[in-house]
Amino acid sequence: MLDIVIDRKTYPDRAGAPHLALAGLHLEAAPGEFVCVVGPSGCGKSTLLNVVGGLDRDVDGRVRLGGAPFADSTHDIGFMFQEPRLMPWLTVLDNVLLVTDASPAAQRRARDLLAAMGLADVLDAYPGRLSGGMQRRVALARAFVIEPKLLLMDEPFVSLDVPTANRLRAMLVEQWQRSGATVLFVTHDLREALALADRICFLSAAPGRVVLELPLTLARPRAPDDAAVQALHAELLARHPELLAGLTSEPHEPQDE
Amino acid sequence: MKAGVDDSAPWPQPAVPVRRAMKRNGPQGEGWLRAASLAAFLLLWQLAAWLFASQTLPTPATVFARIAAETASLALPTHLAITLARVVVAFGLAMALGAAIGIAMGRWRRLDALLDGWLVLGLNIPALVTIILCYVWFGLNDAAAIVAVALNKIPTVVVTVREGARAVDARLMQVAHAYRLPRLRTFARVYLPQLVPYLMAAARSGLSLIWKIVLVVELLGRSNGVGFQLNMFFQLFDITGILAYTLVFAAVVLVVEAAVLRPLERRLTRWRS
């Protein structure tokens, strides 16, 4: 059980004045649940993930996983960023092994995962040689190789073309179902959230807090362009127009550097 | 799994430092050019020696004969070995201390502010002053000689490595943090590889500086080593001796550069090619 309570989270903006990013945010996730967090740009989605992942400790609030607050020694959180963030000087296999203890069991898991993602032929290649989609598959393998209890994903499939992104989403869902990890997936794309989530949490504009929770019962596998997803998307837009303003942008702005 | 379009199509490469310009060996014609250039140099030297017919400019043949004689008597190898040992120790010391201080200053702003003035001072003290002071304070011994050389080099290593430490990619460090990597592994596999280009630059410029300063240190206060020998030849006006030692010394520097530094750099930056 993941339990997040953030009373206040501020960070200094460019001028140095404190900017209130999150306030009164409460979010829970059951073990093995796939939760998408959707909100407009700048509502503090990435900040939320950084707090949950322990990258940002300067916060009034608490994060508990399985009843206990995380310690620095917690090794069971996977994190996927907006960019693949692979070490360019490590091979594909070494990038995945980097986050493990490199035991024989970890080696086997890494190879199996990479093979399942169609990367068996490039184990010894350097990331600079790979396409953006392949780099993200490596990042996905890196996230799952530690057998995470919790997987944090910060718009991991932005700036990919549609078929590549769909393929990566299918891989994510397959690995997630196999692993039983709880997933917290941040996106500004409502269709993507509808295609992936068990439950969607909508954040307000900054300071962000959860303003609507939406359990989904659509059958899997689904894709953003399935008829059922499209229908639900249209229905939601009609029901909550003010809430979803700005969440329907179909083309992503490129954010990859 | 859905059958999507293959995503192995070309994709913009991630931001990687710019590739080193062109290969070193170049096309086949270049090797000949280098050999011809060397031959031309020897030829010019020979012509000048004939032209001036002076004791102060011996012919190449005389110098090479002297190299052979000095090598046979073991004088040259001995002094060369002593100088090399001093270079290695001073270089290692300067790199280790300079890198440690540079990393610390690049990382902690306060420390940077605290030490920056000292650094500027260190960069601007003439090598000769450091050498004289070390000999006066610590005596005419090897320790003083090596400390003097290292002190001359440390500030430039600090400046270069500090630059690298400031340029470390916070996003990659976040990966290490997010996955709770142990400190040592974070340092060795995430942090240090980002400093490699800076460390290599410091090593190259450092070696070329240290070679030269070691000779001065030996000239001023040691009774062996290439610098000491050069001083002796100078006092005897033995130009052949000076040229013989200089040629061998320069050759050793070239070999170290080609046989140690370049292969090391190639190995460390393999991933870029």
Side-chain angles (χ1 to χ4, degrees), chain A residues 79 85 89 98 128 131 137, chain B residues 7 13 174 179 185 189:
Chain A
F79 208 132
R85 297 202 191 179
W89 46 85
L98 175 70
S131 68
R137 279 189 256 159
Chain B
D7 58 352
Q13 300 279 308
Q174 273 193 334
Y179 283 94
R185 201 188 307 160
R189 312 206 68 186

Side-chain angles (χ1 to χ4, degrees), chain A residues 85-191:
Chain A
R85 297 202 191 179
L86 305 173
M87 307 299 146
W89 46 85
L90 295 180
T91 62
V92 165
L93 182 59
D94 285 342
N95 259 293
V96 175
L97 288 176
L98 175 70
V99 300
T100 70
D101 54 5
S103 62
Q107 300 246 8
R108 210 162 35 244
R109 272 202 312 275
R111 284 174 188 279
D112 288 350
L113 271 168
L114 287 166
M117 293 179 187
L119 294 167
D121 294 339
V122 292
L123 292 183
D124 297 321
Y126 290 101
R129 284 269 176 224
L130 306 181
S131 68
M134 289 168 97
Q135 292 188 18
R136 276 162 224 253
R137 279 189 256 159
V138 179
L140 194 59
R142 179 174 69 184
F144 276 108
V145 77
I146 57 172
E147 299 183 309
K149 284 207 183 73
L150 175 62
L151 183 55
L152 304 173
M153 309 192 83
D154 186 2
E155 306 201 43
F157 305 138
V158 291
S159 71
L160 289 174
D161 59 82
V162 173
T164 303
N166 281 344
R167 200 169 155 202
L168 271 156
R169 286 186 197 111
M171 284 179 178
L172 164 63
V173 169
E174 188 188 327
Q175 292 302 329
W176 160 68
Q177 286 174 331
R178 205 175 284 175
S179 74
T182 306
V183 178
L184 207 55
F185 187 108
V186 154
T187 178
H188 66 268
D189 181 352
L190 180 56
R191 257 181 251 263

Side-chain angles (χ1 to χ4, degrees), chain A residues 67-81:
Chain A
F70 317 152
D72 240 353
S73 54
T74 322
H75 284 284
D76 34 20
I77 305 176
F79 208 132
M80 220 179 142
F81 300 87

Side-chain angles (χ1 to χ4, degrees), chain B residues 132-144:
Chain B
I132 292 172
L133 289 179
C134 280
Y135 276 144
V136 171
W137 289 337
F138 308 126
L140 289 173
N141 52 45
D142 261 329

Side-chain angles (χ1 to χ4, degrees), chain A residues 199-224:
Chain A
R199 182 159 54 93
I200 301 180
C201 294
F202 293 89
L203 290 198
S204 63
R209 65 196 165 80
V210 178
V211 288
L212 176 68
E213 295 198 33
L214 180 77
L216 293 181
T217 48
L218 296 175
R220 296 180 188 275
R222 22 176 148 121

